[in-house]
């Protein structure tokens, strides 16, 4: 048996920045990721929840609501077949069962701003789950109805999203019960926000 070092998993790290995170010009969040990482275009994707907290580590304040049994997951992208992307590592993690996500983009004295929002999805089970159907809203307005994730990476872009303080993303599963459970909860891998 011969053991050879692998380079694939060595690109994760933790980025830091002093001061306030707002106002946000561009922010990319990778839910459930084991660390922060740059994509091929040089964009930094910040992991949430933060895998490590320390004095120098950039802290992201995101308010999330999860269904019972929901949580974050991370898989090794080397063993997953995720097509339609040059960054399969980003779709190997995510939030399962998230129903609401609120991300502060502007400070108390900042003026309202329009943002382009990109939502990133991929089915974590590796093949489409026919019943994983959910609605997505941005700032309380429906933007995706009866959305069903494919096994490949899917990016949905929305322009002109007005933000006064925080961006709020709502995901509502089609099979949501009265006791707030779902057999096929929503899944999201990442979100990008770019000031227009």
């Amino acid at each position: 048996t011969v053991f050879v070092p692998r380079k694939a998993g060595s690109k994760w790290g933790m980025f830091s920045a002093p001061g306030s995170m707002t106002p946000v010009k561009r922010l990319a969040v990778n839910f459930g990721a084991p660390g922060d990482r740059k994509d091929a275009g040089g964009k930094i994707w910040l992991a949430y929840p933060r895998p490590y907290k320390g004095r120098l580590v950039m802290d992201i304040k995101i308010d999330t609501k999860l269904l019972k049994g929901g949580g974050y997951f991370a898989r090794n992208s080397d063993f997953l077949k995720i097509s339609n992307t040059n960054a399969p590592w980003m779709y190997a993690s995510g939030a399962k069962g998230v129903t609401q996500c609120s991300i502060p983009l502007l400070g108390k004295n900042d003026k309202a701003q329009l943002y382009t929002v990109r939502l990133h999805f991929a089915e974590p089970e590796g093949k489409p789950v026919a019943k994983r159907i959910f609605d997505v809203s941005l700032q309380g307005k429906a933007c995706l109805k009866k959305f069903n994730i494919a096994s490949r990476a899917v990016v949905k872009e929305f322009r002109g999203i007005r933000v006064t303080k925080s961006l709020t993303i709502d995901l509502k599963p089609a099979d949501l019960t009265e006791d707030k459970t779902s057999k096929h909860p929503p899944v999201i891998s990442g979100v990008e926000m770019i000031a227009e």
Side-chain angles (χ1 to χ4, degrees), residues 94-148:
K96 193 173 185 178
V98 65
T99 58
Q100 190 175 76
C101 178
S102 185
I103 307 168
L105 300 180
L106 299 170
K108 185 178 179 182
N109 298 317
D110 295 325
K111 292 181 181 178
Q113 171 75 49
L114 296 180
Y115 282 85
T116 293
V117 177
R118 293 186 192 125
L119 304 176
H120 295 257
F121 304 94
E123 175 53 56
E125 306 301 329
K127 58 183 179 180
V129 176
K131 295 183 180 178
R132 193 184 305 283
I133 298 168
F134 54 94
D135 296 338
V136 180
S137 299
L138 295 174
Q139 303 300 73
K141 295 181 181 177
C143 59
L144 292 173
K145 284 277 198 183
K146 296 183 180 177
F147 179 63
N148 191 358

Tab-separated table of all heavy atoms in Angstrom, residues 94-148:
chain	number	residue	atom	x	y	z
A	94	GLY	N	-23.994	22.499	2.413
A	94	GLY	CA	-25.207	23.309	2.351
A	94	GLY	C	-25.984	23.306	3.647
A	94	GLY	O	-25.542	22.774	4.669
A	95	ALA	N	-27.153	23.911	3.565
A	95	ALA	CA	-28.086	23.949	4.691
A	95	ALA	C	-29.328	23.177	4.276
A	95	ALA	O	-29.907	23.447	3.222
A	95	ALA	CB	-28.446	25.385	5.055
A	96	LYS	N	-29.713	22.220	5.085
A	96	LYS	CA	-30.885	21.392	4.802
A	96	LYS	C	-31.948	21.715	5.835
A	96	LYS	O	-31.694	21.675	7.037
A	96	LYS	CB	-30.491	19.916	4.889
A	96	LYS	CG	-31.492	18.957	4.320
A	96	LYS	CD	-30.887	17.565	4.311
A	96	LYS	CE	-31.795	16.572	3.631
A	96	LYS	NZ	-31.197	15.234	3.585
A	97	GLY	N	-33.139	22.068	5.370
A	97	GLY	CA	-34.224	22.395	6.288
A	97	GLY	C	-34.244	23.842	6.724
A	97	GLY	O	-34.959	24.209	7.644
A	98	VAL	N	-33.471	24.702	6.049
A	98	VAL	CA	-33.513	26.122	6.381
A	98	VAL	C	-34.798	26.720	5.816
A	98	VAL	O	-35.168	26.452	4.681
A	98	VAL	CB	-32.259	26.870	5.866
A	98	VAL	CG1	-32.174	26.883	4.363
A	98	VAL	CG2	-32.202	28.287	6.393
A	99	THR	N	-35.517	27.473	6.638
A	99	THR	CA	-36.754	28.103	6.176
A	99	THR	C	-36.604	29.609	6.028
A	99	THR	O	-37.338	30.228	5.277
A	99	THR	CB	-37.925	27.823	7.137
A	99	THR	OG1	-37.584	28.297	8.441
A	99	THR	CG2	-38.261	26.342	7.169
A	100	GLN	N	-35.646	30.175	6.745
A	100	GLN	CA	-35.406	31.614	6.603
A	100	GLN	C	-33.950	31.927	6.913
A	100	GLN	O	-33.332	31.316	7.782
A	100	GLN	CB	-36.293	32.437	7.526
A	100	GLN	CG	-36.225	33.930	7.222
A	100	GLN	CD	-37.196	34.719	8.076
A	100	GLN	OE1	-36.950	34.943	9.249
A	100	GLN	NE2	-38.316	35.117	7.480
A	101	CYS	N	-33.433	32.869	6.160
A	101	CYS	CA	-32.050	33.295	6.314
A	101	CYS	C	-32.031	34.816	6.157
A	101	CYS	O	-32.507	35.340	5.151
A	101	CYS	CB	-31.230	32.624	5.216
A	101	CYS	SG	-29.519	33.066	5.212
A	102	SER	N	-31.537	35.513	7.165
A	102	SER	CA	-31.476	36.970	7.130
A	102	SER	C	-30.016	37.405	7.240
A	102	SER	O	-29.344	37.110	8.231
A	102	SER	CB	-32.309	37.550	8.271
A	102	SER	OG	-32.354	38.953	8.179
A	103	ILE	N	-29.535	38.106	6.201
A	103	ILE	CA	-28.124	38.487	6.110
A	103	ILE	C	-28.002	40.008	6.103
A	103	ILE	O	-28.473	40.667	5.174
A	103	ILE	CB	-27.490	37.908	4.829
A	103	ILE	CG1	-27.727	36.395	4.751
A	103	ILE	CG2	-26.009	38.242	4.757
A	103	ILE	CD1	-27.400	35.782	3.412
A	104	PRO	N	-27.384	40.607	7.140
A	104	PRO	CA	-27.221	42.067	7.162
A	104	PRO	C	-26.260	42.534	6.072
A	104	PRO	O	-25.148	42.026	5.965
A	104	PRO	CB	-26.642	42.354	8.554
A	104	PRO	CG	-26.494	41.071	9.261
A	104	PRO	CD	-26.827	39.963	8.312
A	105	LEU	N	-26.727	43.476	5.257
A	105	LEU	CA	-25.899	44.003	4.177
A	105	LEU	C	-25.595	45.487	4.348
A	105	LEU	O	-24.612	45.983	3.802
A	105	LEU	CB	-26.592	43.787	2.827
A	105	LEU	CG	-26.890	42.337	2.428
A	105	LEU	CD1	-27.567	42.291	1.071
A	105	LEU	CD2	-25.631	41.492	2.437
A	106	LEU	N	-26.448	46.196	5.087
A	106	LEU	CA	-26.279	47.637	5.272
A	106	LEU	C	-26.310	48.004	6.746
A	106	LEU	O	-26.995	47.354	7.540
A	106	LEU	CB	-27.383	48.401	4.522
A	106	LEU	CG	-27.425	48.191	3.005
A	106	LEU	CD1	-28.684	48.786	2.412
A	106	LEU	CD2	-26.190	48.782	2.338
A	107	GLY	N	-25.566	49.048	7.098
A	107	GLY	CA	-25.526	49.534	8.463
A	107	GLY	C	-26.662	50.491	8.762
A	107	GLY	O	-27.463	50.838	7.885
A	108	LYS	N	-26.705	50.941	9.989
A	108	LYS	CA	-27.784	51.797	10.485
A	108	LYS	C	-27.945	53.081	9.673
A	108	LYS	O	-29.057	53.525	9.413
A	108	LYS	CB	-27.504	52.134	11.954
A	108	LYS	CG	-28.581	52.915	12.634
A	108	LYS	CD	-28.231	53.152	14.089
A	108	LYS	CE	-29.304	53.968	14.785
A	108	LYS	NZ	-28.950	54.250	16.193
A	109	ASN	N	-26.858	53.685	9.250
A	109	ASN	CA	-26.920	54.975	8.541
A	109	ASN	C	-26.760	54.855	7.025
A	109	ASN	O	-26.658	55.859	6.340
A	109	ASN	CB	-25.855	55.920	9.108
A	109	ASN	CG	-26.085	56.206	10.576
A	109	ASN	OD1	-27.210	56.436	11.005
A	109	ASN	ND2	-25.025	56.181	11.361
A	110	ASP	N	-26.733	53.635	6.510
A	110	ASP	CA	-26.580	53.441	5.065
A	110	ASP	C	-27.917	53.594	4.350
A	110	ASP	O	-28.971	53.215	4.877
A	110	ASP	CB	-26.011	52.043	4.766
A	110	ASP	CG	-24.599	51.870	5.288
A	110	ASP	OD1	-23.835	52.853	5.268
A	110	ASP	OD2	-24.263	50.746	5.710
A	111	LYS	N	-27.864	54.128	3.132
A	111	LYS	CA	-29.078	54.273	2.320
A	111	LYS	C	-29.453	52.924	1.717
A	111	LYS	O	-28.613	52.049	1.544
A	111	LYS	CB	-28.843	55.282	1.197
A	111	LYS	CG	-28.664	56.702	1.682
A	111	LYS	CD	-28.452	57.638	0.504
A	111	LYS	CE	-28.245	59.062	0.999
A	111	LYS	NZ	-27.983	60.000	-0.119
A	112	ALA	N	-30.725	52.785	1.362
A	112	ALA	CA	-31.209	51.561	0.713
A	112	ALA	C	-30.403	51.312	-0.560
A	112	ALA	O	-29.947	52.254	-1.218
A	112	ALA	CB	-32.692	51.683	0.393
A	113	GLN	N	-30.220	50.049	-0.899
A	113	GLN	CA	-29.368	49.663	-2.019
A	113	GLN	C	-30.023	48.529	-2.795
A	113	GLN	O	-30.699	47.676	-2.209
A	113	GLN	CB	-28.014	49.206	-1.459
A	113	GLN	CG	-27.063	48.572	-2.432
A	113	GLN	CD	-26.401	49.572	-3.358
A	113	GLN	OE1	-25.889	50.576	-2.926
A	113	GLN	NE2	-26.444	49.292	-4.645
A	114	LEU	N	-29.822	48.520	-4.115
A	114	LEU	CA	-30.278	47.411	-4.941
A	114	LEU	C	-29.146	46.401	-5.068
A	114	LEU	O	-27.982	46.771	-5.256
A	114	LEU	CB	-30.704	47.883	-6.324
A	114	LEU	CG	-31.909	48.825	-6.387
A	114	LEU	CD1	-32.200	49.204	-7.833
A	114	LEU	CD2	-33.134	48.202	-5.747
A	115	TYR	N	-29.505	45.119	-4.954
A	115	TYR	CA	-28.522	44.042	-5.038
A	115	TYR	C	-28.930	43.021	-6.097
A	115	TYR	O	-30.121	42.790	-6.325
A	115	TYR	CB	-28.402	43.307	-3.699
A	115	TYR	CG	-27.583	44.045	-2.670
A	115	TYR	CD1	-28.166	45.016	-1.863
A	115	TYR	CD2	-26.224	43.774	-2.513
A	115	TYR	CE1	-27.411	45.706	-0.913
A	115	TYR	CE2	-25.466	44.450	-1.565
A	115	TYR	CZ	-26.065	45.420	-0.782
A	115	TYR	OH	-25.311	46.094	0.147
A	116	THR	N	-27.925	42.416	-6.710
A	116	THR	CA	-28.130	41.206	-7.500
A	116	THR	C	-27.884	40.050	-6.542
A	116	THR	O	-26.878	40.037	-5.828
A	116	THR	CB	-27.150	41.131	-8.681
A	116	THR	OG1	-27.459	42.175	-9.602
A	116	THR	CG2	-27.250	39.780	-9.389
A	117	VAL	N	-28.828	39.116	-6.504
A	117	VAL	CA	-28.735	37.973	-5.594
A	117	VAL	C	-28.687	36.699	-6.423
A	117	VAL	O	-29.522	36.490	-7.309
A	117	VAL	CB	-29.940	37.938	-4.622
A	117	VAL	CG1	-29.871	36.705	-3.725
A	117	VAL	CG2	-29.996	39.215	-3.797
A	118	ARG	N	-27.692	35.860	-6.136
A	118	ARG	CA	-27.593	34.566	-6.797
A	118	ARG	C	-27.716	33.473	-5.750
A	118	ARG	O	-26.961	33.443	-4.776
A	118	ARG	CB	-26.246	34.416	-7.511
A	118	ARG	CG	-26.076	35.358	-8.676
A	118	ARG	CD	-24.787	35.086	-9.440
A	118	ARG	NE	-24.529	36.175	-10.365
A	118	ARG	CZ	-23.410	36.877	-10.410
A	118	ARG	NH1	-22.413	36.592	-9.592
A	118	ARG	NH2	-23.258	37.847	-11.280
A	119	LEU	N	-28.664	32.575	-5.965
A	119	LEU	CA	-28.885	31.447	-5.066
A	119	LEU	C	-28.316	30.193	-5.720
A	119	LEU	O	-28.574	29.929	-6.897
A	119	LEU	CB	-30.380	31.273	-4.791
A	119	LEU	CG	-31.107	32.510	-4.231
A	119	LEU	CD1	-32.599	32.226	-4.093
A	119	LEU	CD2	-30.512	32.948	-2.906
A	120	HIS	N	-27.560	29.419	-4.951
A	120	HIS	CA	-26.876	28.233	-5.471
A	120	HIS	C	-27.463	26.975	-4.832
A	120	HIS	O	-27.554	26.879	-3.604
A	120	HIS	CB	-25.378	28.314	-5.170
A	120	HIS	CG	-24.698	29.448	-5.872
A	120	HIS	ND1	-23.919	29.264	-6.995
A	120	HIS	CD2	-24.691	30.788	-5.619
A	120	HIS	CE1	-23.449	30.438	-7.396
A	120	HIS	NE2	-23.894	31.375	-6.581
A	121	PHE	N	-27.842	26.028	-5.685
A	121	PHE	CA	-28.495	24.801	-5.226
A	121	PHE	C	-27.865	23.568	-5.870
A	121	PHE	O	-27.401	23.625	-7.005
A	121	PHE	CB	-29.978	24.785	-5.612
A	121	PHE	CG	-30.784	25.953	-5.124
A	121	PHE	CD1	-30.986	27.063	-5.936
A	121	PHE	CD2	-31.361	25.932	-3.862
A	121	PHE	CE1	-31.753	28.133	-5.502
A	121	PHE	CE2	-32.123	26.997	-3.418
A	121	PHE	CZ	-32.321	28.097	-4.238
A	122	ALA	N	-27.914	22.440	-5.167
A	122	ALA	CA	-27.602	21.123	-5.719
A	122	ALA	C	-28.201	20.083	-4.777
A	122	ALA	O	-28.216	20.275	-3.561
A	122	ALA	CB	-26.107	20.903	-5.871
A	123	GLU	N	-28.697	19.020	-5.336
A	123	GLU	CA	-29.312	17.954	-4.532
A	123	GLU	C	-28.235	17.171	-3.792
A	123	GLU	O	-27.360	16.575	-4.421
A	123	GLU	CB	-30.129	17.027	-5.440
A	123	GLU	CG	-30.716	15.834	-4.751
A	123	GLU	CD	-31.528	16.182	-3.527
A	123	GLU	OE1	-32.480	16.981	-3.644
A	123	GLU	OE2	-31.213	15.654	-2.452
A	124	PRO	N	-28.274	17.147	-2.450
A	124	PRO	CA	-27.229	16.457	-1.687
A	124	PRO	C	-27.278	14.942	-1.786
A	124	PRO	O	-26.297	14.268	-1.496
A	124	PRO	CB	-27.481	16.914	-0.249
A	124	PRO	CG	-28.920	17.270	-0.204
A	124	PRO	CD	-29.249	17.793	-1.572
A	125	GLU	N	-28.400	14.384	-2.195
A	125	GLU	CA	-28.522	12.929	-2.281
A	125	GLU	C	-27.874	12.375	-3.553
A	125	GLU	O	-27.815	11.174	-3.750
A	125	GLU	CB	-29.998	12.511	-2.231
A	125	GLU	CG	-30.763	13.059	-1.042
A	125	GLU	CD	-30.191	12.643	0.299
A	125	GLU	OE1	-29.615	11.540	0.388
A	125	GLU	OE2	-30.296	13.423	1.254
A	126	GLY	N	-27.422	13.260	-4.448
A	126	GLY	CA	-26.740	12.812	-5.661
A	126	GLY	C	-27.653	12.568	-6.838
A	126	GLY	O	-27.206	12.458	-7.964
A	127	LYS	N	-28.936	12.451	-6.602
A	127	LYS	CA	-29.896	12.292	-7.696
A	127	LYS	C	-31.151	13.074	-7.317
A	127	LYS	O	-31.429	13.267	-6.132
A	127	LYS	CB	-30.234	10.820	-7.928
A	127	LYS	CG	-30.791	10.116	-6.723
A	127	LYS	CD	-31.023	8.635	-7.028
A	127	LYS	CE	-31.563	7.933	-5.785
A	127	LYS	NZ	-31.810	6.525	-6.004
A	128	PRO	N	-31.890	13.570	-8.292
A	128	PRO	CA	-33.068	14.376	-7.976
A	128	PRO	C	-34.063	13.629	-7.087
A	128	PRO	O	-34.325	12.452	-7.287
A	128	PRO	CB	-33.682	14.666	-9.346
A	128	PRO	CG	-32.564	14.487	-10.306
A	128	PRO	CD	-31.685	13.423	-9.725
A	129	VAL	N	-34.548	14.312	-6.077
A	129	VAL	CA	-35.595	13.768	-5.216
A	129	VAL	C	-36.893	14.412	-5.688
A	129	VAL	O	-37.091	15.605	-5.523
A	129	VAL	CB	-35.319	14.089	-3.725
A	129	VAL	CG1	-36.471	13.613	-2.852
A	129	VAL	CG2	-34.014	13.450	-3.284
A	130	ALA	N	-37.756	13.615	-6.291
A	130	ALA	CA	-38.957	14.150	-6.942
A	130	ALA	C	-39.825	14.994	-6.028
A	130	ALA	O	-40.496	15.911	-6.467
A	130	ALA	CB	-39.770	13.003	-7.522
A	131	LYS	N	-39.798	14.695	-4.738
A	131	LYS	CA	-40.683	15.415	-3.823
A	131	LYS	C	-40.015	16.575	-3.096
A	131	LYS	O	-40.627	17.205	-2.267
A	131	LYS	CB	-41.275	14.431	-2.823
A	131	LYS	CG	-42.175	13.399	-3.483
A	131	LYS	CD	-42.818	12.481	-2.472
A	131	LYS	CE	-43.710	11.466	-3.165
A	131	LYS	NZ	-44.321	10.526	-2.223
A	132	ARG	N	-38.739	16.873	-3.378
A	132	ARG	CA	-38.090	18.017	-2.743
A	132	ARG	C	-38.480	19.277	-3.524
A	132	ARG	O	-37.748	19.776	-4.359
A	132	ARG	CB	-36.565	17.872	-2.693
A	132	ARG	CG	-35.943	18.910	-1.735
A	132	ARG	CD	-34.433	18.891	-1.710
A	132	ARG	NE	-33.832	17.616	-1.415
A	132	ARG	CZ	-33.749	17.069	-0.206
A	132	ARG	NH1	-34.266	17.696	0.828
A	132	ARG	NH2	-33.176	15.891	-0.049
A	133	ILE	N	-39.652	19.758	-3.234
A	133	ILE	CA	-40.218	20.910	-3.935
A	133	ILE	C	-40.449	22.012	-2.907
A	133	ILE	O	-41.005	21.764	-1.835
A	133	ILE	CB	-41.543	20.530	-4.626
A	133	ILE	CG1	-41.276	19.439	-5.672
A	133	ILE	CG2	-42.190	21.749	-5.262
A	133	ILE	CD1	-42.516	18.779	-6.210
A	134	PHE	N	-40.001	23.230	-3.245
A	134	PHE	CA	-40.194	24.331	-2.315
A	134	PHE	C	-40.296	25.662	-3.046
A	134	PHE	O	-39.885	25.789	-4.196
A	134	PHE	CB	-39.083	24.362	-1.256
A	134	PHE	CG	-37.679	24.379	-1.788
A	134	PHE	CD1	-36.995	25.563	-1.971
A	134	PHE	CD2	-37.019	23.192	-2.098
A	134	PHE	CE1	-35.687	25.588	-2.444
A	134	PHE	CE2	-35.720	23.193	-2.557
A	134	PHE	CZ	-35.050	24.401	-2.741
A	135	ASP	N	-40.882	26.638	-2.354
A	135	ASP	CA	-40.989	28.000	-2.860
A	135	ASP	C	-39.872	28.831	-2.237
A	135	ASP	O	-39.474	28.590	-1.094
A	135	ASP	CB	-42.332	28.626	-2.495
A	135	ASP	CG	-43.514	27.908	-3.132
A	135	ASP	OD1	-43.318	27.224	-4.159
A	135	ASP	OD2	-44.638	28.037	-2.614
A	136	VAL	N	-39.393	29.820	-2.980
A	136	VAL	CA	-38.353	30.717	-2.480
A	136	VAL	C	-38.833	32.153	-2.642
A	136	VAL	O	-39.364	32.523	-3.690
A	136	VAL	CB	-37.019	30.523	-3.236
A	136	VAL	CG1	-35.950	31.469	-2.695
A	136	VAL	CG2	-36.548	29.076	-3.159
A	137	SER	N	-38.641	32.952	-1.586
A	137	SER	CA	-38.976	34.374	-1.620
A	137	SER	C	-37.761	35.186	-1.205
A	137	SER	O	-36.966	34.757	-0.371
A	137	SER	CB	-40.125	34.693	-0.653
A	137	SER	OG	-41.286	33.993	-1.012
A	138	LEU	N	-37.630	36.360	-1.815
A	138	LEU	CA	-36.605	37.328	-1.428
A	138	LEU	C	-37.305	38.594	-0.971
A	138	LEU	O	-38.167	39.116	-1.691
A	138	LEU	CB	-35.672	37.651	-2.599
A	138	LEU	CG	-34.806	36.500	-3.123
A	138	LEU	CD1	-34.044	36.933	-4.376
A	138	LEU	CD2	-33.823	36.036	-2.058
A	139	GLN	N	-36.979	39.061	0.212
A	139	GLN	CA	-37.602	40.260	0.786
A	139	GLN	C	-39.128	40.133	0.811
A	139	GLN	O	-39.847	41.107	0.613
A	139	GLN	CB	-37.198	41.521	0.016
A	139	GLN	CG	-35.696	41.770	-0.069
A	139	GLN	CD	-35.015	41.938	1.266
A	139	GLN	OE1	-34.845	40.965	1.988
A	139	GLN	NE2	-34.613	43.149	1.590
A	140	GLY	N	-39.630	38.924	1.039
A	140	GLY	CA	-41.066	38.700	1.148
A	140	GLY	C	-41.789	38.540	-0.179
A	140	GLY	O	-42.994	38.315	-0.207
A	141	LYS	N	-41.069	38.643	-1.302
A	141	LYS	CA	-41.692	38.506	-2.623
A	141	LYS	C	-41.282	37.180	-3.259
A	141	LYS	O	-40.090	36.861	-3.331
A	141	LYS	CB	-41.283	39.666	-3.535
A	141	LYS	CG	-41.808	41.008	-3.051
A	141	LYS	CD	-41.392	42.113	-3.984
A	141	LYS	CE	-41.897	43.458	-3.469
A	141	LYS	NZ	-41.442	44.581	-4.319
A	142	ALA	N	-42.258	36.425	-3.746
A	142	ALA	CA	-41.985	35.117	-4.352
A	142	ALA	C	-41.097	35.273	-5.578
A	142	ALA	O	-41.331	36.132	-6.424
A	142	ALA	CB	-43.291	34.441	-4.731
A	143	CYS	N	-40.060	34.429	-5.665
A	143	CYS	CA	-39.186	34.472	-6.842
A	143	CYS	C	-39.054	33.100	-7.507
A	143	CYS	O	-38.737	33.020	-8.686
A	143	CYS	CB	-37.828	35.053	-6.495
A	143	CYS	SG	-36.934	34.164	-5.230
A	144	LEU	N	-39.290	32.025	-6.755
A	144	LEU	CA	-39.304	30.673	-7.319
A	144	LEU	C	-40.508	29.932	-6.758
A	144	LEU	O	-40.672	29.840	-5.541
A	144	LEU	CB	-38.024	29.903	-6.944
A	144	LEU	CG	-36.702	30.367	-7.543
A	144	LEU	CD1	-35.539	29.606	-6.918
A	144	LEU	CD2	-36.690	30.204	-9.047
A	145	LYS	N	-41.336	29.397	-7.632
A	145	LYS	CA	-42.514	28.641	-7.213
A	145	LYS	C	-42.328	27.177	-7.579
A	145	LYS	O	-41.918	26.861	-8.690
A	145	LYS	CB	-43.771	29.170	-7.920
A	145	LYS	CG	-44.267	30.477	-7.360
A	145	LYS	CD	-45.094	30.208	-6.151
A	145	LYS	CE	-45.972	31.391	-5.796
A	145	LYS	NZ	-46.714	31.120	-4.588
A	146	LYS	N	-42.626	26.294	-6.630
A	146	LYS	CA	-42.535	24.849	-6.838
A	146	LYS	C	-41.191	24.465	-7.461
A	146	LYS	O	-41.122	23.717	-8.434
A	146	LYS	CB	-43.708	24.368	-7.691
A	146	LYS	CG	-45.038	24.566	-6.989
A	146	LYS	CD	-46.181	24.023	-7.804
A	146	LYS	CE	-47.497	24.236	-7.059
A	146	LYS	NZ	-48.654	23.781	-7.829
A	147	PHE	N	-40.135	24.978	-6.878
A	147	PHE	CA	-38.782	24.728	-7.356
A	147	PHE	C	-38.316	23.349	-6.916
A	147	PHE	O	-38.508	22.949	-5.780
A	147	PHE	CB	-37.846	25.809	-6.806
A	147	PHE	CG	-36.411	25.649	-7.221
A	147	PHE	CD1	-36.039	25.715	-8.553
A	147	PHE	CD2	-35.428	25.452	-6.270
A	147	PHE	CE1	-34.712	25.579	-8.930
A	147	PHE	CE2	-34.101	25.317	-6.629
A	147	PHE	CZ	-33.743	25.382	-7.973
A	148	ASN	N	-37.726	22.606	-7.839
A	148	ASN	CA	-37.208	21.270	-7.551
A	148	ASN	C	-35.751	21.223	-7.983
A	148	ASN	O	-35.439	21.440	-9.148
A	148	ASN	CB	-38.029	20.211	-8.295
A	148	ASN	CG	-37.712	18.800	-7.825
A	148	ASN	OD1	-36.858	18.594	-6.978
A	148	ASN	ND2	-38.393	17.837	-8.393
